[in-house]
Amino acid sequence: MTNQISPILTLGPVLYNWPAETWRDFYLKIADEAAVEKVYLGEVICSKRAPLFDPHLEQVVTRLENGGKEVIFSTLSETTSNIDRKLMKKIAASEGFNIEANDVSALWHIKGRPHTIGPHMNAYNEESMKFFTTNGATNICLPPEMPAVGMKNLGKLAGEIGVDLEVQVYGRIGLALSARCYHARTWDRTKDSCKFICDIDCDGMDLHTLEGKPFLTINGIQTQSYTCLNLINELDEIIACGVTGLRISPHSTGTLETIEAFDGVLNKKLSAEEAAVKLEASRINAPFSNGFYYQKPGFEWISNGSHD
Amino acid sequence: MTQLFKPELVCPAGTPASLRTAVEAGADAVYCGFQGPTNARNFPGLNFTRDEMITAVDWAHQRGAKVLSAINSFPTAGRTQIWKDAIDDAVSIGVDAAIIADIGMADYMHKSHPDHRMHLSVQAGASSPEAINFYCERFDIKRVVLPRILTVAEIKKVHDEIPCEIEAFVFGNIGMMAEGRCALTNYVTGLSTNMDGVCSPANFVNYEEDENLNLTTRLGEFAIDCISCNENAGYPTICKGRYNTVHKQEYYAFEEPISLNLTALLPDLMKAGVTALKIEGRQRSRAYVRSVVSEFRGAVDAYSEGKYPDISNLLALTEGQKETQGAFRSKTWR
């Protein structure tokens, strides 16, 4: 298999608990209007949420495929309870579908069939990349904390061993997973008795320090950055590393505009500066960050592109 | 109570002196790491040089104790050689097992040292029988250190469905995030728990007292908690801080500053088929190690002889004198 030459935009899975109709309408719009080539679909955070979207799944998949998108089914990122294990098996053991593995238990079910390694899989180095590829991975999405130097080393190897490399370039950053649901905890409930309270926060729940400074974002069992990752200024460098998949993580507003801005840069219709202005106008109500890329604190925004 | 299988007591050794203390206090095995980023407790003043490891292994083996070498962080691309060297050295020094987290390093160890015993670190986050079975099948893992997110009932189930031994944490500091899947420290400090082996590094910690003696604890530029003068201040880790949301104010959004103490659940864990009980705390003092290890030695021996030991002393050793059974007792923790 040869490595893809030209980079493509991909759309990561919706990570939040949106109303099912909103979820459906979002994907129908993506199918019809968005310049992404791959769409990751499925519940990554909480097995309890998954059935909420099932009624619309077939329609969404059909429409996305008719729109020329490749659909990849993402698995859960953490597997503990019996419900988790059943959902993991249902997705990962399905033959004839593209699967993104987000937990090692997925690999047990996939049994070497071609698949994608998701950003929760800790593919940090050459040996991991070789192992995953030998085990059937055709595409690997790096952990969001991977610095530029790591991307560079892996990009070189990816080309040599014939696996595609993907990184998240936009959207809130997944920082941690837990067995405990922090949405439920905020409402004095437990994961089992949550009554799906996470549905009130369509881009997660902001967590502020006691001094009032915005800090993190709660999304059920996941803790995300408060800031919104934006690597538009680094796009050329990332592509030069050999990264071929550029992942945009969806939010409740501005996702189509975000895709347009990145697509504009990829197709030389926009300069990075022009795209940055568009992203500024369509962003969620949080500042941009790109610190991880520069091996700096992840919340920071490095505006001059300096690796010092 | 009937007699129970006596599990191995696995104790922390941040330094050679702690290693000797732990063994003298009754540890069946100690776990320790090399200096540098190859283990998940890469703190200043902790861990072993190669020479210290050689001496320590020799000393422990003479006393019938095992030494487990933690090589349980994730090398970033471009620097895997440091981790490979650590694995090769641990094997040649003769540690009883290497504790590995990174899947690439597990593959390396399995290929380079197929006959050497490998344990799967808690940092690998293998929380289901399917994940554990995958590691066992591919790398011949002999023991899994279970994430601290399972109930005892779930541990029993895992035990029945996997071919390898189980090691479970029973005491000490409990992180709230799934092990090996937390970049919170890196988000604030630029140093990574997975890649650099640090969590809430001390050189980024600040304490600021105001005129009313309220103490603000800070990691980098973010306030983690504000502690009034009548409260015990815990070490500022992000997952044990107090925060505000629109819906709730000044609350421990993730967890309170408490320690794990499963002493009362030991018989249940022993019945669930746990082979080894692990005590956290490579960063703790020798006095702490001595107290905790001897208390646990007594408790494990008593339980395995069918007796009920006095376990009250361990409460005084928990963080902020607050203890929890975490996820282990029931799912309501979640």
Side-chain angles (χ1 to χ4, degrees), chain A residues 262-298:
Chain A
F262 275 87
D263 183 57
V265 175
L266 283 187
N267 289 306
K268 317 263 184 245
K269 285 182 255 163
L270 292 175
S271 68
E273 293 74 22
E274 288 164 336
V277 173
K278 285 189 179 293
L279 291 174
E280 185 63 40
S282 64
R283 70 179 162 84
I284 54 167
N285 187 22
F288 289 134
S289 66
N290 57 8
F292 281 143
Y293 181 79
Y294 293 98
Q295 232 168 340
K296 293 274 178 8

mmCIF file of all heavy atoms in Angstrom, chain A residues 262-298:
data_model
loop_
_atom_site.group_PDB
_atom_site.id
_atom_site.type_symbol
_atom_site.label_atom_id
_atom_site.label_comp_id
_atom_site.label_asym_id
_atom_site.label_seq_id
_atom_site.Cartn_x
_atom_site.Cartn_y
_atom_site.Cartn_z
ATOM 1 N N PHE A 262 -9.987 25.580 6.581
ATOM 2 C CA PHE A 262 -8.878 24.631 6.395
ATOM 3 C C PHE A 262 -8.797 24.163 4.944
ATOM 4 O O PHE A 262 -7.708 24.046 4.372
ATOM 5 C CB PHE A 262 -9.016 23.437 7.355
ATOM 6 C CG PHE A 262 -8.442 23.703 8.717
ATOM 7 C CD1 PHE A 262 -9.211 24.304 9.706
ATOM 8 C CD2 PHE A 262 -7.121 23.385 9.007
ATOM 9 C CE1 PHE A 262 -8.678 24.567 10.960
ATOM 10 C CE2 PHE A 262 -6.575 23.642 10.261
ATOM 11 C CZ PHE A 262 -7.358 24.241 11.242
ATOM 12 N N ASP A 263 -9.970 23.908 4.362
ATOM 13 C CA ASP A 263 -9.999 23.483 2.957
ATOM 14 C C ASP A 263 -9.426 24.576 2.050
ATOM 15 O O ASP A 263 -8.701 24.297 1.093
ATOM 16 C CB ASP A 263 -11.440 23.154 2.558
ATOM 17 C CG ASP A 263 -11.517 22.638 1.132
ATOM 18 O OD1 ASP A 263 -10.835 21.637 0.840
ATOM 19 O OD2 ASP A 263 -12.230 23.255 0.308
ATOM 20 N N GLY A 264 -9.739 25.831 2.384
ATOM 21 C CA GLY A 264 -9.225 26.960 1.613
ATOM 22 C C GLY A 264 -7.710 26.992 1.601
ATOM 23 O O GLY A 264 -7.080 27.238 0.564
ATOM 24 N N VAL A 265 -7.099 26.706 2.749
ATOM 25 C CA VAL A 265 -5.635 26.703 2.828
ATOM 26 C C VAL A 265 -5.062 25.509 2.057
ATOM 27 O O VAL A 265 -4.097 25.651 1.298
ATOM 28 C CB VAL A 265 -5.159 26.692 4.300
ATOM 29 C CG1 VAL A 265 -3.649 26.555 4.373
ATOM 30 C CG2 VAL A 265 -5.613 27.962 5.001
ATOM 31 N N LEU A 266 -5.695 24.342 2.238
ATOM 32 C CA LEU A 266 -5.196 23.141 1.544
ATOM 33 C C LEU A 266 -5.244 23.314 0.037
ATOM 34 O O LEU A 266 -4.370 22.846 -0.687
ATOM 35 C CB LEU A 266 -6.036 21.914 1.921
ATOM 36 C CG LEU A 266 -5.786 21.267 3.275
ATOM 37 C CD1 LEU A 266 -6.583 19.975 3.391
ATOM 38 C CD2 LEU A 266 -4.306 20.988 3.479
ATOM 39 N N ASN A 267 -6.284 23.991 -0.452
ATOM 40 C CA ASN A 267 -6.445 24.158 -1.893
ATOM 41 C C ASN A 267 -5.921 25.492 -2.403
ATOM 42 O O ASN A 267 -6.238 25.907 -3.520
ATOM 43 C CB ASN A 267 -7.910 23.981 -2.276
ATOM 44 C CG ASN A 267 -8.310 22.527 -2.146
ATOM 45 O OD1 ASN A 267 -7.682 21.647 -2.707
ATOM 46 N ND2 ASN A 267 -9.341 22.275 -1.356
ATOM 47 N N LYS A 268 -5.132 26.149 -1.563
ATOM 48 C CA LYS A 268 -4.459 27.400 -1.935
ATOM 49 C C LYS A 268 -5.430 28.508 -2.346
ATOM 50 O O LYS A 268 -5.071 29.402 -3.104
ATOM 51 C CB LYS A 268 -3.444 27.165 -3.085
ATOM 52 C CG LYS A 268 -2.591 25.922 -2.935
ATOM 53 C CD LYS A 268 -1.246 26.263 -2.326
ATOM 54 C CE LYS A 268 -0.339 25.045 -2.259
ATOM 55 N NZ LYS A 268 -0.008 24.618 -0.897
ATOM 56 N N LYS A 269 -6.661 28.410 -1.859
ATOM 57 C CA LYS A 269 -7.609 29.488 -2.135
ATOM 58 C C LYS A 269 -7.519 30.576 -1.074
ATOM 59 O O LYS A 269 -7.966 31.699 -1.255
ATOM 60 C CB LYS A 269 -9.038 28.935 -2.174
ATOM 61 C CG LYS A 269 -9.339 28.148 -3.449
ATOM 62 C CD LYS A 269 -10.780 27.660 -3.470
ATOM 63 C CE LYS A 269 -10.833 26.176 -3.185
ATOM 64 N NZ LYS A 269 -12.117 25.640 -2.808
ATOM 65 N N LEU A 270 -6.978 30.193 0.079
ATOM 66 C CA LEU A 270 -6.826 31.139 1.181
ATOM 67 C C LEU A 270 -5.394 31.045 1.712
ATOM 68 O O LEU A 270 -4.802 29.965 1.710
ATOM 69 C CB LEU A 270 -7.756 30.787 2.344
ATOM 70 C CG LEU A 270 -9.272 30.925 2.199
ATOM 71 C CD1 LEU A 270 -9.948 30.388 3.459
ATOM 72 C CD2 LEU A 270 -9.665 32.382 1.971
ATOM 73 N N SER A 271 -4.868 32.170 2.175
ATOM 74 C CA SER A 271 -3.607 32.108 2.909
ATOM 75 C C SER A 271 -3.929 31.706 4.347
ATOM 76 O O SER A 271 -5.078 31.796 4.780
ATOM 77 C CB SER A 271 -2.924 33.472 2.892
ATOM 78 O OG SER A 271 -3.686 34.381 3.669
ATOM 79 N N ALA A 272 -2.915 31.260 5.074
ATOM 80 C CA ALA A 272 -3.136 30.900 6.478
ATOM 81 C C ALA A 272 -3.676 32.104 7.247
ATOM 82 O O ALA A 272 -4.521 31.962 8.130
ATOM 83 C CB ALA A 272 -1.835 30.404 7.108
ATOM 84 N N GLU A 273 -3.205 33.295 6.885
ATOM 85 C CA GLU A 273 -3.659 34.512 7.570
ATOM 86 C C GLU A 273 -5.145 34.755 7.317
ATOM 87 O O GLU A 273 -5.908 35.067 8.221
ATOM 88 C CB GLU A 273 -2.858 35.743 7.110
ATOM 89 C CG GLU A 273 -1.392 35.749 7.517
ATOM 90 C CD GLU A 273 -0.525 34.774 6.704
ATOM 91 O OE1 GLU A 273 -0.921 34.399 5.570
ATOM 92 O OE2 GLU A 273 0.535 34.370 7.217
ATOM 93 N N GLU A 274 -5.557 34.586 6.042
ATOM 94 C CA GLU A 274 -6.980 34.787 5.719
ATOM 95 C C GLU A 274 -7.842 33.744 6.429
ATOM 96 O O GLU A 274 -8.920 34.048 6.954
ATOM 97 C CB GLU A 274 -7.187 34.688 4.198
ATOM 98 C CG GLU A 274 -6.642 35.884 3.435
ATOM 99 C CD GLU A 274 -6.504 35.623 1.927
ATOM 100 O OE1 GLU A 274 -6.390 34.437 1.521
ATOM 101 O OE2 GLU A 274 -6.513 36.605 1.192
ATOM 102 N N ALA A 275 -7.341 32.511 6.443
ATOM 103 C CA ALA A 275 -8.090 31.448 7.109
ATOM 104 C C ALA A 275 -8.206 31.723 8.604
ATOM 105 O O ALA A 275 -9.257 31.492 9.212
ATOM 106 C CB ALA A 275 -7.421 30.102 6.865
ATOM 107 N N ALA A 276 -7.114 32.241 9.177
ATOM 108 C CA ALA A 276 -7.118 32.532 10.616
ATOM 109 C C ALA A 276 -8.205 33.540 10.967
ATOM 110 O O ALA A 276 -8.869 33.423 12.000
ATOM 111 C CB ALA A 276 -5.745 33.033 11.050
ATOM 112 N N VAL A 277 -8.387 34.515 10.084
ATOM 113 C CA VAL A 277 -9.426 35.521 10.324
ATOM 114 C C VAL A 277 -10.811 34.856 10.305
ATOM 115 O O VAL A 277 -11.667 35.120 11.151
ATOM 116 C CB VAL A 277 -9.349 36.641 9.261
ATOM 117 C CG1 VAL A 277 -10.530 37.601 9.381
ATOM 118 C CG2 VAL A 277 -8.023 37.381 9.391
ATOM 119 N N LYS A 278 -11.020 33.961 9.367
ATOM 120 C CA LYS A 278 -12.303 33.252 9.289
ATOM 121 C C LYS A 278 -12.534 32.389 10.528
ATOM 122 O O LYS A 278 -13.642 32.309 11.055
ATOM 123 C CB LYS A 278 -12.342 32.365 8.039
ATOM 124 C CG LYS A 278 -12.536 33.150 6.741
ATOM 125 C CD LYS A 278 -12.781 32.199 5.583
ATOM 126 C CE LYS A 278 -12.994 32.949 4.278
ATOM 127 N NZ LYS A 278 -14.251 33.725 4.269
ATOM 128 N N LEU A 279 -11.472 31.719 10.989
ATOM 129 C CA LEU A 279 -11.606 30.863 12.173
ATOM 130 C C LEU A 279 -11.927 31.704 13.406
ATOM 131 O O LEU A 279 -12.729 31.317 14.247
ATOM 132 C CB LEU A 279 -10.317 30.065 12.402
ATOM 133 C CG LEU A 279 -10.032 28.982 11.359
ATOM 134 C CD1 LEU A 279 -8.660 28.352 11.608
ATOM 135 C CD2 LEU A 279 -11.114 27.906 11.377
ATOM 136 N N GLU A 280 -11.292 32.850 13.488
ATOM 137 C CA GLU A 280 -11.537 33.771 14.603
ATOM 138 C C GLU A 280 -13.022 34.142 14.657
ATOM 139 O O GLU A 280 -13.627 34.201 15.729
ATOM 140 C CB GLU A 280 -10.656 35.015 14.413
ATOM 141 C CG GLU A 280 -10.700 36.019 15.529
ATOM 142 C CD GLU A 280 -10.189 35.464 16.858
ATOM 143 O OE1 GLU A 280 -9.179 34.714 16.859
ATOM 144 O OE2 GLU A 280 -10.818 35.772 17.878
ATOM 145 N N ALA A 281 -13.608 34.341 13.485
ATOM 146 C CA ALA A 281 -15.014 34.765 13.417
ATOM 147 C C ALA A 281 -15.979 33.632 13.760
ATOM 148 O O ALA A 281 -17.089 33.878 14.229
ATOM 149 C CB ALA A 281 -15.312 35.311 12.020
ATOM 150 N N SER A 282 -15.574 32.391 13.531
ATOM 151 C CA SER A 282 -16.527 31.288 13.704
ATOM 152 C C SER A 282 -16.250 30.422 14.931
ATOM 153 O O SER A 282 -16.922 29.448 15.192
ATOM 154 C CB SER A 282 -16.509 30.399 12.457
ATOM 155 O OG SER A 282 -15.235 29.803 12.307
ATOM 156 N N ARG A 283 -15.264 30.805 15.735
ATOM 157 C CA ARG A 283 -14.857 29.923 16.835
ATOM 158 C C ARG A 283 -15.899 29.886 17.953
ATOM 159 O O ARG A 283 -16.712 30.796 18.087
ATOM 160 C CB ARG A 283 -13.494 30.350 17.385
ATOM 161 C CG ARG A 283 -13.513 31.645 18.147
ATOM 162 C CD ARG A 283 -12.130 31.997 18.673
ATOM 163 N NE ARG A 283 -12.060 33.404 19.029
ATOM 164 C CZ ARG A 283 -12.476 33.876 20.211
ATOM 165 N NH1 ARG A 283 -12.948 33.068 21.123
ATOM 166 N NH2 ARG A 283 -12.406 35.173 20.451
ATOM 167 N N ILE A 284 -15.827 28.815 18.774
ATOM 168 C CA ILE A 284 -16.631 28.776 19.989
ATOM 169 C C ILE A 284 -16.090 29.818 20.946
ATOM 170 O O ILE A 284 -15.013 30.371 20.733
ATOM 171 C CB ILE A 284 -16.598 27.379 20.657
ATOM 172 C CG1 ILE A 284 -15.147 26.929 20.900
ATOM 173 C CG2 ILE A 284 -17.361 26.365 19.834
ATOM 174 C CD1 ILE A 284 -15.012 25.745 21.819
ATOM 175 N N ASN A 285 -16.815 30.055 22.024
ATOM 176 C CA ASN A 285 -16.438 31.131 22.933
ATOM 177 C C ASN A 285 -15.274 30.725 23.836
ATOM 178 O O ASN A 285 -15.413 30.595 25.043
ATOM 179 C CB ASN A 285 -17.655 31.533 23.771
ATOM 180 C CG ASN A 285 -17.368 32.758 24.614
ATOM 181 O OD1 ASN A 285 -16.458 33.536 24.291
ATOM 182 N ND2 ASN A 285 -18.098 32.916 25.694
ATOM 183 N N ALA A 286 -14.125 30.494 23.225
ATOM 184 C CA ALA A 286 -12.923 30.119 23.982
ATOM 185 C C ALA A 286 -11.711 30.493 23.147
ATOM 186 O O ALA A 286 -11.775 30.484 21.915
ATOM 187 C CB ALA A 286 -12.920 28.619 24.265
ATOM 188 N N PRO A 287 -10.605 30.826 23.798
ATOM 189 C CA PRO A 287 -9.411 31.210 23.038
ATOM 190 C C PRO A 287 -8.757 30.021 22.331
ATOM 191 O O PRO A 287 -8.983 28.873 22.702
ATOM 192 C CB PRO A 287 -8.461 31.762 24.108
ATOM 193 C CG PRO A 287 -8.941 31.196 25.394
ATOM 194 C CD PRO A 287 -10.400 30.917 25.252
ATOM 195 N N PHE A 288 -7.955 30.314 21.332
ATOM 196 C CA PHE A 288 -7.219 29.270 20.620
ATOM 197 C C PHE A 288 -5.963 28.873 21.389
ATOM 198 O O PHE A 288 -5.401 29.669 22.152
ATOM 199 C CB PHE A 288 -6.804 29.766 19.234
ATOM 200 C CG PHE A 288 -7.952 29.899 18.276
ATOM 201 C CD1 PHE A 288 -8.094 31.034 17.477
ATOM 202 C CD2 PHE A 288 -8.890 28.884 18.150
ATOM 203 C CE1 PHE A 288 -9.147 31.157 16.578
ATOM 204 C CE2 PHE A 288 -9.942 28.991 17.255
ATOM 205 C CZ PHE A 288 -10.077 30.133 16.472
ATOM 206 N N SER A 289 -5.507 27.654 21.153
ATOM 207 C CA SER A 289 -4.230 27.215 21.715
ATOM 208 C C SER A 289 -3.514 26.316 20.712
ATOM 209 O O SER A 289 -4.141 25.735 19.816
ATOM 210 C CB SER A 289 -4.439 26.451 23.026
ATOM 211 O OG SER A 289 -5.126 25.235 22.787
ATOM 212 N N ASN A 290 -2.192 26.221 20.872
ATOM 213 C CA ASN A 290 -1.389 25.313 20.044
ATOM 214 C C ASN A 290 -0.125 24.879 20.785
ATOM 215 O O ASN A 290 0.835 24.416 20.183
ATOM 216 C CB ASN A 290 -1.010 25.980 18.702
ATOM 217 C CG ASN A 290 -0.247 27.288 18.913
ATOM 218 O OD1 ASN A 290 0.126 27.624 20.040
ATOM 219 N ND2 ASN A 290 -0.007 28.035 17.844
ATOM 220 N N GLY A 291 -0.132 25.033 22.124
ATOM 221 C CA GLY A 291 1.072 24.809 22.929
ATOM 222 C C GLY A 291 1.676 23.418 22.793
ATOM 223 O O GLY A 291 2.899 23.272 22.730
ATOM 224 N N PHE A 292 0.834 22.369 22.767
ATOM 225 C CA PHE A 292 1.368 20.999 22.701
ATOM 226 C C PHE A 292 2.305 20.822 21.506
ATOM 227 O O PHE A 292 3.335 20.165 21.600
ATOM 228 C CB PHE A 292 0.232 19.973 22.593
ATOM 229 C CG PHE A 292 -0.461 19.678 23.900
ATOM 230 C CD1 PHE A 292 -1.828 19.454 23.946
ATOM 231 C CD2 PHE A 292 0.256 19.600 25.092
ATOM 232 C CE1 PHE A 292 -2.468 19.165 25.144
ATOM 233 C CE2 PHE A 292 -0.374 19.308 26.303
ATOM 234 C CZ PHE A 292 -1.743 19.093 26.316
ATOM 235 N N TYR A 293 1.933 21.416 20.382
ATOM 236 C CA TYR A 293 2.725 21.270 19.165
ATOM 237 C C TYR A 293 4.153 21.771 19.376
ATOM 238 O O TYR A 293 5.111 21.207 18.859
ATOM 239 C CB TYR A 293 2.038 22.031 18.026
ATOM 240 C CG TYR A 293 2.744 21.931 16.700
ATOM 241 C CD1 TYR A 293 2.614 20.796 15.909
ATOM 242 C CD2 TYR A 293 3.543 22.977 16.232
ATOM 243 C CE1 TYR A 293 3.268 20.701 14.688
ATOM 244 C CE2 TYR A 293 4.189 22.896 15.016
ATOM 245 C CZ TYR A 293 4.047 21.753 14.242
ATOM 246 O OH TYR A 293 4.691 21.653 13.040
ATOM 247 N N TYR A 294 4.273 22.838 20.177
ATOM 248 C CA TYR A 294 5.583 23.457 20.412
ATOM 249 C C TYR A 294 6.245 22.930 21.692
ATOM 250 O O TYR A 294 7.215 23.516 22.180
ATOM 251 C CB TYR A 294 5.433 24.984 20.492
ATOM 252 C CG TYR A 294 5.025 25.586 19.166
ATOM 253 C CD1 TYR A 294 3.694 25.890 18.907
ATOM 254 C CD2 TYR A 294 5.959 25.817 18.168
ATOM 255 C CE1 TYR A 294 3.307 26.426 17.687
ATOM 256 C CE2 TYR A 294 5.590 26.348 16.948
ATOM 257 C CZ TYR A 294 4.266 26.649 16.707
ATOM 258 O OH TYR A 294 3.888 27.174 15.498
ATOM 259 N N GLN A 295 5.698 21.849 22.244
ATOM 260 C CA GLN A 295 6.216 21.276 23.492
ATOM 261 C C GLN A 295 6.163 22.293 24.631
ATOM 262 O O GLN A 295 7.040 22.340 25.491
ATOM 263 C CB GLN A 295 7.655 20.772 23.292
ATOM 264 C CG GLN A 295 7.797 19.351 23.759
ATOM 265 C CD GLN A 295 9.104 18.702 23.335
ATOM 266 O OE1 GLN A 295 9.775 19.133 22.394
ATOM 267 N NE2 GLN A 295 9.465 17.637 24.016
ATOM 268 N N LYS A 296 5.109 23.074 24.630
ATOM 269 C CA LYS A 296 4.856 24.071 25.672
ATOM 270 C C LYS A 296 3.549 23.660 26.367
ATOM 271 O O LYS A 296 2.857 22.753 25.884
ATOM 272 C CB LYS A 296 4.682 25.459 25.022
ATOM 273 C CG LYS A 296 5.946 26.012 24.381
ATOM 274 C CD LYS A 296 6.729 26.723 25.436
ATOM 275 C CE LYS A 296 8.052 27.302 25.027
ATOM 276 N NZ LYS A 296 8.504 27.356 23.693
ATOM 277 N N PRO A 297 3.202 24.314 27.482
ATOM 278 C CA PRO A 297 1.904 24.008 28.087
ATOM 279 C C PRO A 297 0.795 24.055 27.031
ATOM 280 O O PRO A 297 0.743 24.985 26.218
ATOM 281 C CB PRO A 297 1.742 25.125 29.130
ATOM 282 C CG PRO A 297 3.143 25.462 29.523
ATOM 283 C CD PRO A 297 3.953 25.317 28.254
ATOM 284 N N GLY A 298 -0.087 23.049 27.067
ATOM 285 C CA GLY A 298 -1.062 22.889 25.996
ATOM 286 C C GLY A 298 -2.029 24.050 25.834
ATOM 287 O O GLY A 298 -2.545 24.289 24.745
#
